[in-house]
Amino acid sequence: MKNEYIPQLSEIKEVIRHTDLEYTFRMVYEGPVKPGQFFEVSLPKYGEAPISVSGIGHGTIDFTIRRVGKVTNEIFENYAGDSLFIRGPYGNGFDLENYKGKEIVVVAGGTGLSPVKGIVDYFARHMEECVSFTLIAGFKTPKDVLFKEDFAFWKQQFPVTLTVDSAPEDYDGPVGMVTKYIPDLKFQNSENAVFICVGPPVMIRFSTLEMLKLGIKEEQIWISHERKMCCGLGKCGHCKIGSTYICLDGPVFNYTEGKNLID
């Protein structure tokens, strides 16, 4: 029987720097994985941290990591050719079958783009599998924007709104919260539309309210609850909300369930 507590050693194939605090680590991995799932990434003596999968390749997976604490500080000292320990994947992830043949809208805030990036990547290369795809992504400032090269490719495939909360006067891109741009969305058939939203809880709340105003039903909305996850196995209870363990029952929830998870 597999011991879920024992990680495997994974080589870092590439490190992509986005900002001073956020890098993507491309790791060796063979096995099934879905967008929205997460792994425990660890280093002996320093501990482990739950990190969402931000990219799925052939024999690799990406982790986009923000340098914010003891474990992630140490991970940032490891670069291409070095290795990290990983265990997973955990959680339910986003099931692509729920979105094929639909009018898809993805709204993401900051590092919340990481868990849904696999969905964006997939449909950017398989536009024939959906009716339409729209991405609205928000960051604090232009310096905080992640995946700039990916954005350049995505903009060639479908409508993309890349907005920032604040910017210098000479900035010529969209400025404002992501919710500013949701009322402008148009659908061929709102009953065939699906909405995916990941980011800070307050952003998810007001973004989903705007989508409901457009006639999108609760069962057509998916969100991801990622705060407070810890062990990944439902043993520590750190992510428990009511009777729900986010790491086991989520982190991806249909809005009909997710709206009741108040932490």
Side-chain angles (χ1 to χ4, degrees), residues 75-251:
I75 289 173
F76 267 56
E77 299 304 318
N78 290 262
Y79 295 98
D82 290 340
S83 297
L84 299 171
F85 285 97
I86 63 173
R87 60 178 175 89
Y90 297 119
N92 55 357
F94 292 97
D95 187 347
L96 291 172
E97 295 302 319
N98 287 328
Y99 316 118
K100 291 181 179 179
K102 306 289 187 179
E103 297 180 58
I104 306 167
V105 176
V106 172
V107 173
T111 54
L113 181 57
S114 297
V116 294
K117 182 174 177 290
I119 297 174
V120 182
D121 285 336
Y122 179 84
F123 284 104
R125 292 172 171 79
H126 301 88
M127 285 297 293
E128 73 282 359
E129 295 187 25
C130 64
V131 175
S132 64
F133 195 101
T134 301
L135 172 63
I136 302 174
F139 296 89
K140 288 184 178 180
T141 72
K143 292 182 180 179
D144 297 310
V145 175
L146 307 177
F147 312 119
K148 292 178 182 175
E149 292 185 4
D150 296 286
F151 270 107
F153 173 69
W154 296 337
K155 288 179 179 179
Q156 298 174 14
Q157 311 305 315
F158 46 70
V160 173
T161 299
L162 174 57
T163 183
V164 295
D165 296 345
S166 60
E169 291 184 1
D170 59 350
Y171 182 73
D172 61 357
V175 177
M177 302 293 185
V178 293
T179 49
K180 173 182 176 181
Y181 300 94
I182 294 176
D184 296 330
L185 294 171
K186 305 295 181 185
F187 302 102
Q188 297 177 31
N189 178 7
S190 61
E191 293 186 358
N192 193 45
V194 290
F195 177 55
I196 300 168
C197 186
V198 184
V202 67
M203 189 216 83
I204 293 176
R205 170 176 166 75
F206 287 102
S207 295
T208 51
L209 287 175
E210 290 298 327
M211 289 300 295
L212 292 169
K213 291 178 185 177
L214 293 179
I216 304 302
K217 297 176 182 177
E218 291 185 350
E219 57 266 29
Q220 297 168 251
I221 299 173
W222 280 262
I223 61 177
S224 182
H225 279 281
E226 298 192 333
R227 285 166 24 94
K228 298 187 176 182
M229 290 195 304
C230 190
C231 73
L233 297 169
K235 300 299 183 183
C236 70
H238 197 261
C239 70
K240 191 168 184 273
I241 302 177
S243 62
T244 300
Y245 288 87
I246 301 301
C247 65
L248 297 180
D249 304 311

Side-chain angles (χ1 to χ4, degrees), residues 37 43 74 197 251:
Q37 289 188 302
L43 282 171
E74 189 61 25
C197 186

